[in-house]
Amino acid sequence: MAISGWRRATEPALRRALHLYWRFSRGMTLGVRAVVLNGRSEAFLVKHSYVSGWHLPGGGVEPGETLLDALARELKEEANIVWAAAPALHGVFFQDSASSRDHVAVFVVKTFRQDAAPVPDREIVGHGFFPLAALPEDTTRGTRARLAEVLEGAPISERW
């Protein structure tokens, strides 16, 4: 079985197992994501090895971390991006696709440095800057919605 076929076969079970663990180990999950825009209004997206589609970079807020600490860590790990000016909070969204306990804070990063392209690894298998009109076909619905809000002025939803 090809790696991508293996991922499709195991991804739902892995996601359910992780959310079951998080449900009992945490009262609520909180995540951060970033709309990182370069000078051409292209957004940086990542493709994970363990979940389908293209996403905004980000991840979970660990115990003892602030939202900005978590965002800085995730951007460095997933994108090799360090912001040069404080990111602006775009919104906090209820994400109930996998759990009724998930919330995601989304920040907009316009001033940053990326000294080198991130190196694909076990977690991140793809990355790049994409214009809104040419997003990868499998960009997630939530990612598309946040980009439309930030780049096109679409109404902001409370839900991912």
Side-chain angles (χ1 to χ4, degrees):
M1 181 184 297
I3 294 283
S4 62
W6 178 84
R7 273 193 212 121
R8 277 193 301 276
T10 60
E11 176 184 308
L14 177 60
R15 188 183 313 185
R16 281 192 304 273
L18 287 172
H19 279 280
L20 183 62
Y21 168 75
W22 290 327
R23 181 177 191 135
F24 291 106
S25 67
R26 300 176 178 177
M28 180 183 84
T29 56
L30 179 61
V32 291
R33 295 211 178 258
V35 175
V36 180
L37 301 171
N38 64 15
R40 297 177 301 280
S41 292
E42 296 171 325
F44 189 84
L45 301 178
V46 296
K47 188 170 188 90
H48 296 92
S49 61
Y50 54 87
V51 66
S52 299
W54 288 83
H55 302 264
L56 299 170
V61 178
E62 297 298 330
E65 276 187 320
T66 67
L67 292 173
L68 291 178
D69 288 343
L71 187 67
R73 176 181 50 76
E74 290 289 346
L75 283 176
K76 183 67 177 159
E77 290 174 4
E78 294 187 357
N80 198 28
I81 287 175
V82 177
W83 66 70
L89 178 63
H90 171 64
V92 179
F93 303 88
F94 178 53
Q95 185 178 25
D96 63 350
S97 61
S99 168
S100 62
R101 301 167 181 262
D102 291 343
H103 290 79
V104 179
V106 176
F107 291 85
V108 178
V109 177
K110 293 183 178 177
T111 307
F112 64 92
R113 72 173 203 278
Q114 186 182 41
D115 296 331
V119 177
D121 58 19
R122 287 182 171 177
E123 181 185 5
I124 304 299
V125 296
H127 59 81
F129 281 96
F130 299 92
L132 187 60
L135 296 175
E137 186 177 308
D138 59 341
T139 300
T140 65
R141 183 185 56 76
T143 298
R144 288 179 184 276
R146 301 299 78 78
L147 292 173
E149 292 165 2
V150 171
L151 294 170
E152 295 182 328
I156 298 174
S157 171
E158 292 182 350
R159 295 180 175 271
W160 191 258

